[in-house]
């Protein structure tokens, strides 16, 4: 790399990292090195559709290398950064070390079990493609097993799906699993009636979709219930065992428990000596800069940005994307000795889909519910997908499953003897 160019190292090519890359692309003053432990950029908001067999993994993921082909100053390396030497300005990954002038940490978040790590082995999380495929396999396998057993009473816990966490991911999963079992696959089995499937959504707090208004939350609950989902609010989980979920007044027996209750900063933040909050999010100032190091910027889910706010900015993609673009421009300004201005978040609102023809969307005072909200949700999720091919394949899958009531990706990839089944 040339001596007079500044070197920007970006850890993570997710929502935030990608915006840094795109903004610095072909800027002759910078060499950009991107290190990611995944070889693809992932559109996480549609992971639940891979988990419920609506979409295939390749519909929502795109190789990072293919996004950056035209950016001559951008180099991609496939590796997991395990240590950062802030004093020497070096990152370590696999057996390599790279130095930086500016470091952007865009490492995202991981699933949090709120101090109960033992629940990880009893539940299925949803954070990456591997997780989504594990959920898909478990759902499809549980139906196959129930079909073998052919007795409803014995297979009841196989056909009971429990989702913990009533945020957008929990709501979307619950609606989608209900649709899959009650409509899409119902005619495909002979011994069982998949319409007998139970789906329970558990939320510790008083309402679903905490970030939304009371009316959107009530609407969502009513619509989920009309689709056969049992919604339990004010129901903190006390324990999760091999047989099910323990609540204060009952135990729900289930072989498929999905954890959608929370996230914390990625492992890298935990490993490095840098100031962070209790959820492992790195503390940043109004310039998205680590409060410890002037040349280290932290964006998206990895950061705790709360300067001038009552609470940290939420872990959503618009925050990561806006911070990514901001930090790239900030680095360009710093390099040119120009004046810098603090980051300001523009809140574009919230959306969550409940299922076919129903969603809630809030943009300031504007509240959309039902089919209008659903079309809004479809449009936004198509527009923000990365890559034309992915947009088209997602659109085709959606139209096909809407018109035919079928789900295209109901594959169990392993042969039966290769599987270890939760049963
Ligand atoms: C199931 C689900 C549904 C969601 N739905 C929505 C939604 O509807 N709307 C919305 O706005 N947001 C949604 N989100 C949240 C949104 O996806 C995140 O806020 C967004 O991805 C954050 O962007 P980021 O760049 O901070 O992190 P990410 O996009 O997660 O990217 C982090 C990147 O860093 C890489 N990485 C991590 N650690 C290392 C390391 N040590 N070394 C190298 N690479 C590393 C990862 O591989 C990854 O590519 C959802 C999230 C999930 C999990």
């Amino acid at each position: 790399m040339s001596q007079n160019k500044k070197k920007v190292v970006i850890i993570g090519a997710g929502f935030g990292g990608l915006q840094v890359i795109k903004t610095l692309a072909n800027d002759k003053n910078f060499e950009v090195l991107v290190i990611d432990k995944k070889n693809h950029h992932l559109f996480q908001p549609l992971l639940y559709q891979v988990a419920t067999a609506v979409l295939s993994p390749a519909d929502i993921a795109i190789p990072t290398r293919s996004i950056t082909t035209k950016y001559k100053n951008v180099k991609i390396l496939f590796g997991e950064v395990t240590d950062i030497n802030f004093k020497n300005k070096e990152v370590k990954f696999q057996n390599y070390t790279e130095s930086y002038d500016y470091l952007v940490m865009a490492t995202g978040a991981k699933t949090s079990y709120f101090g109960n790590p033992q629940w990880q082995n009893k539940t299925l999380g949803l954070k990456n493609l591997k997780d989504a495929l594990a959920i898909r396999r478990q759902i499809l396998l549980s139906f196959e097993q129930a079909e073998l057993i052919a007795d409803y009473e014995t297979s009841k816990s196989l056909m009971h799906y429990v989702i913990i966490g009533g945020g957008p991911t929990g709501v979307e999963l619950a609606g989608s699993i209900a649709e899959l079992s009650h409509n899409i696959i119902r005619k495909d089995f002979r011994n069982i009636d998949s319409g007998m499937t139970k789906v329970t959504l558990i939320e510790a707090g008083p309402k679903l979709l905490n970030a939304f208004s009371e009316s959107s939350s009530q609407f969502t609950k009513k619509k989920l219930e009309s689709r056969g989902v049992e919604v339990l609010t004010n129901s903190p989980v006390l324990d999760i065992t091999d047989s099910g979920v323990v609540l204060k007044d009952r135990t729900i027996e289930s072989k498929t428990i999905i954890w959608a209750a929370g996230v914390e900063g990625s492992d890298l933040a935990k490993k490095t000596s840098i100031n962070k909050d209790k959820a492992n999010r790195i503390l940043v100032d109004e310039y998205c800069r680590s409060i410890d190091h002037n040349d280290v910027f932290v964006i998206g889910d990895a950061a705790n940005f709360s300067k001038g706010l009552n609470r940290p900015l939420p872990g959503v993609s618009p925050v990561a994307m806006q911070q990514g673009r901001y930090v790239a421009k900030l680095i360009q300004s710093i390099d040119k000795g120009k004046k810098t201005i603090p980051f300001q978040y523009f809140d574009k609102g919230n959306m969550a889909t409940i299922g076919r023809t129903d969603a809630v969307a809030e943009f300031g005072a504007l509240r959309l519910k039902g089919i209008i909200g659903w079309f809004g949700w479809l449009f936004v999720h198509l527009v923000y997908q990365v890559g034309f091919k992915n947009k088209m394949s997602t659109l085709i899958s959606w139209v096909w499953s809407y018109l035919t009531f079928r789900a295209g990706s109901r594959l169990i990839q392993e042969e039966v003897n290769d599987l270890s089944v939760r049963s």
Side-chain angles (χ1 to χ4, degrees), residues 307-320:
K307 198 81 191 165
L309 306 167
N310 297 329
R311 59 167 79 167
L313 287 177
V316 290
S317 52
V319 171

Side-chain angles (χ1 to χ4, degrees), residues 48-110:
Y48 84 94
Q49 294 204 354
V50 174
T52 51
V54 178
L55 295 176
S56 302
D59 294 334
I60 66 160
I62 180 163
T64 314
R65 224 171 256 297
S66 73
I67 307 174
T68 59
T69 310
K70 287 191 194 141
Y71 307 154
K72 297 297 172 213
N73 65 334
V74 177
K75 185 162 126 185
I76 308 278
L77 291 176
F78 184 36
E80 176 168 6
V81 175
T82 43
D83 197 11
I84 304 171
N85 186 330
F86 294 108
K87 199 160 152 264
N88 295 348
K89 298 174 86 146
E90 284 172 351
V91 296
K92 291 195 166 53
F93 58 102
Q94 313 311 120
N95 288 325
Y96 303 95
T97 299
E98 286 278 352
S99 62
Y100 62 82
D101 294 302
Y102 300 104
L103 178 66
V104 181
M105 297 179 70
T107 46
K110 63 171 208 163

Side-chain angles (χ1 to χ4, degrees), residues 10-19 34-48 64 77-83 92-94 105-111 125-128 131 168-170 172-173 260 263 266-269 271 299-303 314-321 323 345 349-353 377 380-381:
I10 304 167
I11 314 175
F15 277 92
L18 193 57
Q19 293 307 314
V34 185
I35 306 167
D36 199 308
K37 62 181 176 178
K38 291 201 309 271
N39 86 328
H40 54 270
H41 172 82
L42 178 65
F43 193 73
Q44 294 173 40
L46 290 179
L47 266 176
Y48 84 94
T64 314
L77 291 176
F78 184 36
E80 176 168 6
V81 175
T82 43
D83 197 11
K92 291 195 166 53
F93 58 102
Q94 313 311 120
M105 297 179 70
T107 46
K110 63 171 208 163
T111 308
L126 185 60
K127 197 66 192 97
N128 52 40
D131 293 342
T169 301
E172 290 172 347
L173 269 170
V263 290
S266 71
D267 282 338
L268 183 61
K271 283 181 202 154
I299 59 175
D301 287 6
V316 290
S317 52
V319 171
M321 292 170 80
Q323 289 184 331
Y345 176 53
N350 291 311
M351 311 185 110
T353 181
W377 183 93
V380 167
H381 284 73

